[in-house]
Amino acid sequence: MRKLFYLLLFTTYSITTSAQTPKTYTSSEILLQLKKLNVLGSVLYIAAHPDDENTRLLAYLANEKLYRTGYLSLTRGDGGQNLIGDEQGIDLGLIRTQELLSARRIDGAEQFFSRAYDFGYCKTPEEALQTWGHDKILSDVVWVIRKFRPDVIITRFPEDSRAGHGHHSASAILAREAFDAAADPTKFPEQLQQGVTVWQAKRILWNTYNFGDNNTQKDDQLKIDCGGYNPLLGKSYGEIAALSRSQHKSQGFGVPAQRGAVIEYFATVKGDKPTTDLMDGIDVNWSRVKNDVIANSINDIIQHYSAEHPEQSVSALVKLYQSIKTIDDVYWKTQKLKEIQNLIEECSGLFLEATTNTQYAVQGDSLKINFVINNRLGAKIKSADVSFKDAHHVFDSIQNDINATYSQTVFIQPNEKLTQPYWLEEPMDKESFNVSNQQLIGKAENDPISAEFVINIDGVDFTFEKPVRYKYTDPVKGEVYQPVNVVPFANIKYDKDVYLIKQGSVITSDIKINSRSDIKKEIAVTYTLPYKNGNREDVFDSKTIELKGKDAIDDIPFNIINKNTDTSVLLMDAFGQDISPGSTNKTSGYSRVINYDHIPLIVYEKPAIAKTIFINLKIIGNSIGYIAGAGDKVPQALEQMGYKVTIIKQTDLTLNNLKQFDAIVTGVRAYNINDWLNNVYDTLMQYVKDGGTLLVQYNTNNSIGPLKAKIGPYPFTVTGKRITDETAKVNFLSTNDPALNYPNKITGKDFDGWIQERSIYDVENIDSNYKRILGMSDPNESQQDGSLIVADYGKGKFVYTGLVFFRELPAGVPGAYRLFANLLANKNEVIKK
Ligand SMILES: [Zn+2]
């Protein structure tokens, strides 16, 4: 939805509790859930990305209509732009998965994903479906529908180009196809052996929209007022929606809260056209399972519910639980038993917790777990016990509002399964994840490591699964809960992900081994560094290392020499030996940690791999000033190229100070992020006039704030145009320009191996003083020439580029380095040549 919501930016909300703090319930929230027991209807919303979903509609459906409500996002948003840090790809997808889960905790809907990877912008649904594998992703949508069994499916987008993004229109096409396929036993029949049956939703609707210039709402569509105020929650649905949507912090989607009536429009795609309500013709009461007795019991519980004494409802809820166990409809039985068990826990004021004092469960080390039970409102608890791995404890007696505690140390086996997001466990296909366990497909995340409390309430045993969390007190944030991850005994990592080694040069680096445990031990490390004494010469080495205990770092230094002249790329995955005691502890990588306040800590395992680029690269000049934008890893890449990089802040931006630099580079979206760049235009232009080089990387003209600043010495317009085909043929439009010739002779080969796309936010209306360097086109489109423009200005040079150097340099694409070096080369040095 990136392109469509830009009108609503720049307000952010903060949530006072951390993402992991166990949720507690007020009496009014409990009452709302009691009412939900009487509703047997479900709605599934389907779109392509985190942030595509209509959070107001989800909030309304889940909290006003009390339907089971879900959002299936085909992708995890891996290919989006990141406003809060430099994570991209898989890392960004992990962040946005958690942002979506934070949003769902607020609006009350459930979250699902398919195996599709967000490979970045694409123009047509055909490209999206072909890249993902049409049948693979359709199978996932069908699976989620067969499991979730929605009465109504709602899409966000049309199937045509009005959707604005090939992923968007593909999501609508797959939803329509899955609407039929889920009901067809000949489609994906293997799923029917996995615990689901066919399912025919009543209808599929398109939730149309009006974004001013893009209005798809029509008068003959079903209209529903989704505004309104929920007194039990103390919020309008527009307010809940804003809080939910504002969780998409990596996208900068803070939005203002709306109050009052808001009409949503629905066009019928398939199934009966509804006239007054989404659920026209669908029974959403207990009569659906032909059992009106249950409805009466629930109404009775609601009638006698006391806000001051919710515990008085526990006995009746336990009775209700027992009677619902006898109904035949497996789907609604499972749903409602789950809801009632939660209500029993909430009405009892039960507090159940399993926590650790350490962040990690380390393979081959011990882990202390603290269990707490508190029966805060005095439910009738006959017995209570807890189990986690080899720990088991029966609590003596559970008294009213007294903490019953128990601690035990458990051993984490050396071969304990490492915590890894399930979709990252198997190697990916080009643009989709592989998950061989069908039961995991669709899930938003792994089930957490959990302890099991079995508590007998009113004579019935209830099993409560509670995630084991790391709990600590931060002096600023207060009490913080984080997930606990199983990690290897030691982290092994190359110092850098990419080694750029120019011909004739040597680099010295090291492998870092970081013990995760306080257990001190000596380990024999055998390692292979094929490049120790030159390219491609295998050299095996071994060393005994004494792991010095938690957080100590041991280094294994090595050199790599580039004797070659040709540019070539190799993956250094030489490491990966067994360093554990007893050879069972395979430690072949390191834990990547991503830490933001608004989401739980993200930890996943990556192999110890480094990319080695033997490169024929020359650079001119050595001192670069970098004006950071939204966050990118270009400065690190520049350092590897041999430049000295200085980050320039607003206060450093004086002409006198700039003189020291051979070139100034602005980070991605620097002009969108830094308003102050408006005020230093004259200084930067004078710097260029005096002989400097200014290279501006892409800025957006739309989604992230208006681009007011003047950027170059002569006019051009930043557009939303891009070249999404990363293999698009590149035509050289100014073959003699230094950009393509000096100091590195650029050829078509330099555009091999690019990732995700060629360029974004290319320019047009280009003043004649600029030279257009490259021409490219996406399939079936005419050539664009706005991805790289260069102008001489005074004694210096100005460059604007939409080429995605911020992706290609960190990914170690050799040609991107060679071209970037040319763009930075000082004009006067070039002339001297
Ligand atoms: Zn989208």
Side-chain angles (χ1 to χ4, degrees):
M1 198 52 127
R2 290 187 271 285
K3 292 178 115 173
L4 300 174
F5 272 115
Y6 61 87
L7 297 171
L8 306 167
L9 298 181
F10 296 123
T11 317
T12 45
Y13 292 79
S14 63
I15 296 295
T16 46
T17 51
S18 97
Q20 287 287 299
T21 305
K23 171 136 177 67
T24 56
Y25 295 85
T26 65
S27 280
S28 62
E29 287 168 317
I30 293 174
L31 179 57
L32 191 65
Q33 289 183 57
L34 285 172
K35 287 165 176 268
K36 191 179 171 112
L37 288 180
N38 262 331
V39 181
L40 285 73
S42 60
V43 178
L44 182 64
Y45 203 86
I46 300 179
H49 304 119
D51 76 13
D52 286 345
E53 78 279 20
N54 181 340
T55 50
R56 178 175 47 238
L57 179 61
L58 294 181
Y60 168 84
L61 293 171
N63 301 291
E64 176 68 27
K65 304 305 286 185
L66 301 171
Y67 301 138
R68 185 179 182 205
T69 306
Y71 173 43
L72 167 58
S73 172
L74 293 187
T75 75
R76 296 174 184 269
D78 324 80
Q81 289 138 18
N82 181 357
L83 254 86
I84 56 173
D86 58 15
E87 295 86 1
Q88 291 172 26
I90 298 289
D91 289 3
L92 183 56
L94 285 159
I95 291 173
R96 295 185 68 189
T97 295
Q98 290 302 329
E99 290 181 339
L100 217 44
L101 287 167
S102 288
R104 294 299 81 83
R105 281 188 283 270
I106 291 167
D107 60 37
E110 297 169 56
Q111 184 60 50
F112 306 97
F113 293 98
S114 83
R115 286 173 290 179
Y117 179 75
D118 176 3
F119 56 86
Y121 186 77
C122 82
K123 288 169 182 168
T124 65
E126 291 77 20
E127 187 191 342
L129 294 171
Q130 200 204 336
T131 311
W132 286 333
H134 170 277
D135 288 3
K136 182 175 184 176
I137 307 309
L138 176 61
S139 149
D140 291 1
V141 181
V142 167
W143 172 253
V144 171
I145 290 172
R146 285 173 173 171
K147 272 193 99 163
F148 189 84
R149 298 165 77 89
D151 294 311
V152 175
I153 296 171
I154 301 177
T155 63
R156 169 87 282 189
F157 298 107
E159 297 185 15
D160 54 39
S161 62
R162 288 173 296 173
H165 190 321
H167 294 173
H168 290 168
S169 30
S171 73
I173 291 168
L174 290 174
R176 173 180 48 77
E177 291 178 355
F179 174 81
D180 290 329
D184 182 345
T186 67
K187 297 286 161 60
F188 308 106
E190 68 284 357
Q191 291 181 2
L192 303 173
Q193 314 301 315
Q194 295 274 342
V196 296
T197 53
V198 291
W199 179 252
Q200 179 63 68
K202 181 86 170 169
R203 59 179 61 96
I204 176 166
L205 307 173
W206 167 31
N207 177 203
T208 57
Y209 44 77
N210 181 358
F211 296 113
D213 56 343
N214 192 354
N215 184 4
T216 56
Q217 295 176 342
K218 289 210 176 83
D219 240 7
D220 64 348
Q221 295 167 351
L222 173 69
K223 302 180 201 65
I224 294 176
D225 179 3
C226 296
Y229 176 76
N230 189 321
L232 295 178
L233 298 173
K235 287 187 182 73
S236 303
Y237 296 112
E239 291 173 322
I240 298 172
L243 287 171
S244 168
R245 190 158 185 79
S246 299
Q247 295 307 299
H248 294 299
K249 294 187 195 301
S250 67
Q251 302 295 296
F253 274 148
V255 294
Q258 289 181 316
R259 293 169 194 90
V262 183
I263 307 298
E264 293 288 344
Y265 287 67
F266 301 90
T268 308
V269 178
K270 281 198 123 179
D272 301 343
K273 186 175 183 213
T275 50
T276 56
D277 190 82
L278 289 175
M279 292 290 192
D280 275 357
I282 302 163
D283 186 353
V284 294
N285 303 307
W286 279 100
S287 44
R288 177 174 198 150
V289 298
K290 300 175 183 55
N291 193 328
D292 291 320
V293 182
I294 291 175
N296 291 337
S297 316
I298 293 170
N299 289 334
D300 202 51
I301 293 171
I302 293 171
Q303 228 167 41
H304 291 97
Y305 176 68
S306 160
E308 281 185 77
H309 292 288
E311 76 278 9
Q312 288 171 358
S313 299
V314 171
S315 293
L317 282 166
V318 172
K319 274 196 204 92
L320 179 67
Y321 185 90
Q322 295 293 72
S323 65
I324 287 181
K325 262 186 180 169
T326 64
I327 69 170
D328 294 330
D329 187 307
V330 177
Y331 175 83
W332 284 112
K333 177 162 70 181
T334 312
Q335 284 309 312
K336 293 300 165 186
L337 289 180
K338 215 185 323 173
E339 290 174 24
I340 296 171
Q341 176 164 326
N342 289 341
L343 277 162
I344 290 170
E345 182 183 353
E346 291 154 21
C347 287
S348 311
L350 260 184
F351 180 82
L352 307 173
E353 184 176 82
T355 58
T356 68
N357 309 327
T358 51
Q359 173 80 68
Y360 297 111
V362 178
Q363 286 180 331
D365 200 353
S366 55
L367 180 70
K368 189 181 171 198
I369 317 265
N370 311 305
F371 304 101
V372 182
I373 297 183
N374 193 324
N375 177 18
R376 288 181 291 183
L377 290 175
K380 282 180 245 160
I381 293 180
K382 241 197 251 157
S383 66
D385 65 57
V386 65
S387 309
F388 176 70
K389 296 197 177 291
D390 50 0
H392 181 80
H393 179 71
V394 180
F395 290 89
D396 284 346
S397 71
I398 302 295
Q399 287 160 28
N400 188 359
D401 204 21
I402 289 177
N403 287 327
T405 61
Y406 174 70
S407 297
Q408 186 171 336
T409 299
V410 297
F411 184 67
I412 306 298
Q413 296 296 331
N415 60 354
E416 179 84 25
K417 192 173 185 300
L418 297 171
T419 307
Q420 182 76 331
Y422 74 86
W423 60 97
L424 301 180
E425 279 188 23
E426 297 168 36
M428 274 181 81
D429 281 348
K430 189 163 172 274
E431 305 295 3
S432 65
F433 298 107
N434 282 314
V435 179
S436 30
N437 180 353
Q438 181 70 39
Q439 296 298 330
L440 294 173
I441 290 173
K443 283 184 176 238
E445 60 178 345
N446 292 19
D447 292 335
I449 301 168
S450 292
E452 196 173 84
F453 292 85
V454 178
I455 300 182
N456 186 293
I457 302 171
D458 263 58
V460 178
D461 277 347
F462 292 94
T463 301
F464 299 94
E465 301 266 352
K466 292 290 162 186
V468 176
R469 294 189 178 100
Y470 167 46
K471 179 165 95 167
Y472 65 99
T473 305
D474 179 281
V476 177
K477 298 174 205 159
E479 194 168 71
V480 180
Y481 288 80
Q482 292 288 9
V484 170
N485 294 272
V486 179
V487 297
F489 192 86
N491 244 2
I492 297 179
K493 192 179 184 309
Y494 283 97
D495 193 37
K496 293 192 166 71
D497 297 331
V498 173
Y499 290 104
L500 194 70
I501 309 160
K502 292 192 272 188
Q503 43 183 168
S505 67
V506 182
I507 60 119
T508 300
S509 184
D510 45 39
I511 295 170
K512 296 195 179 303
I513 302 185
N514 168 206
S515 179
R516 275 279 161 71
S517 165
D518 263 331
I519 299 173
K520 292 188 175 62
K521 59 176 121 193
E522 271 202 354
I523 54 165
V525 181
T526 308
Y527 55 97
T528 317
L529 289 171
Y531 317 110
K532 191 176 181 190
N533 295 323
N535 317 352
R536 303 178 201 229
E537 287 168 31
D538 285 0
V539 177
F540 295 88
D541 212 337
S542 67
K543 190 177 177 182
T544 301
I545 288 182
E546 187 199 355
L547 293 179
K548 298 181 194 73
K550 202 171 172 182
D551 299 332
I553 294 178
D554 295 281
D555 295 328
I556 301 175
F558 64 90
N559 299 319
I560 311 176
I561 305 165
N562 181 356
K563 294 190 245 175
N564 242 341
T565 49
D566 284 342
T567 292
S568 63
V569 180
L570 293 160
L571 279 183
M572 275 208 307
D573 57 351
F575 223 86
Q577 274 53 244
D578 185 359
I579 68 156
S580 68
S583 294
T584 48
N585 190 9
K586 289 276 180 213
T587 305
S588 58
Y590 67 100
S591 308
R592 167 97 173 100
V593 178
I594 303 171
N595 192 2
Y596 288 104
D597 273 353
H598 69 299
I599 50 175
L601 191 77
I602 295 168
V603 179
Y604 76 102
E605 297 304 310
K606 292 186 83 164
I609 288 178
K611 200 170 190 180
T612 311
I613 306 167
F614 299 104
I615 191 169
N616 180 354
L617 171 73
K618 297 187 192 71
I619 65 170
I620 302 282
N622 62 40
S623 179
I624 307 285
Y626 203 85
I627 301 172
D632 55 64
K633 293 176 179 159
V634 174
Q636 293 89 323
L638 290 169
E639 281 175 352
Q640 288 227 0
M641 290 167 78
Y643 298 107
K644 180 174 172 288
V645 180
T646 307
I647 300 295
I648 303 177
K649 303 223 171 64
Q650 181 176 5
T651 45
D652 309 329
L653 216 147
T654 61
L655 195 54
N656 214 23
N657 187 33
L658 295 189
K659 276 181 192 157
Q660 62 176 304
F661 300 114
D662 294 304
I664 308 287
V665 178
T666 65
V668 301
R669 299 201 301 282
Y671 286 81
N672 297 116
I673 299 285
N674 305 313
D675 265 349
W676 54 267
L677 279 170
N678 280 313
N679 309 329
V680 294
Y681 172 78
D682 292 338
T683 312
L684 286 169
M685 289 307 117
Q686 190 61 46
Y687 163 77
V688 176
K689 226 177 196 169
D690 292 349
T693 299
L694 173 61
L695 187 156
V696 176
Q697 299 184 80
Y698 90 89
N699 289 274
T700 72
N701 70 338
N702 55 5
S703 61
I704 316 297
L707 184 60
K708 298 177 299 227
K710 269 167 76 185
I711 295 177
Y714 311 109
F716 57 81
T717 312
V718 176
T719 72
K721 291 188 176 169
R722 37 177 112 200
I723 302 294
T724 61
D725 177 3
E726 71 273 22
T727 65
K729 183 173 181 307
V730 180
N731 297 315
F732 295 166
L733 305 179
S734 310
T735 42
N736 295 324
D737 193 88
L740 296 174
N741 294 287
Y742 189 75
N744 303 293
K745 176 76 186 163
I746 301 298
T747 69
K749 243 186 94 188
D750 289 298
F751 291 91
D752 289 350
W754 283 49
I755 61 161
Q756 187 156 334
E757 60 216 341
R758 289 280 192 216
S759 67
I760 53 181
Y761 300 101
D762 289 352
V763 294
E764 59 184 22
N765 303 325
I766 302 163
D767 185 89
S768 60
N769 282 296
Y770 289 103
K771 273 176 288 180
R772 301 147 201 241
I773 308 294
L774 305 176
M776 292 179 272
S777 58
D778 270 338
N780 308 318
E781 290 189 4
S782 55
Q783 177 162 290
Q784 290 180 33
D785 56 9
S787 64
L788 177 60
I789 57 169
V790 181
D792 292 335
Y793 183 62
K795 294 183 210 153
K797 176 173 86 176
F798 173 84
V799 182
Y800 187 92
T801 184
L803 294 171
V804 289
F805 286 107
F806 73 102
R807 291 195 201 285
E808 311 306 324
L809 299 177
V813 177
Y817 284 96
R818 288 162 40 84
L819 178 58
F820 209 73
N822 288 9
L823 300 178
L824 295 178
N826 187 280
K827 183 181 145 197
N828 303 300
E829 292 292 330
V830 176
I831 291 166
K832 263 190 251 161
K833 174 211 90 161

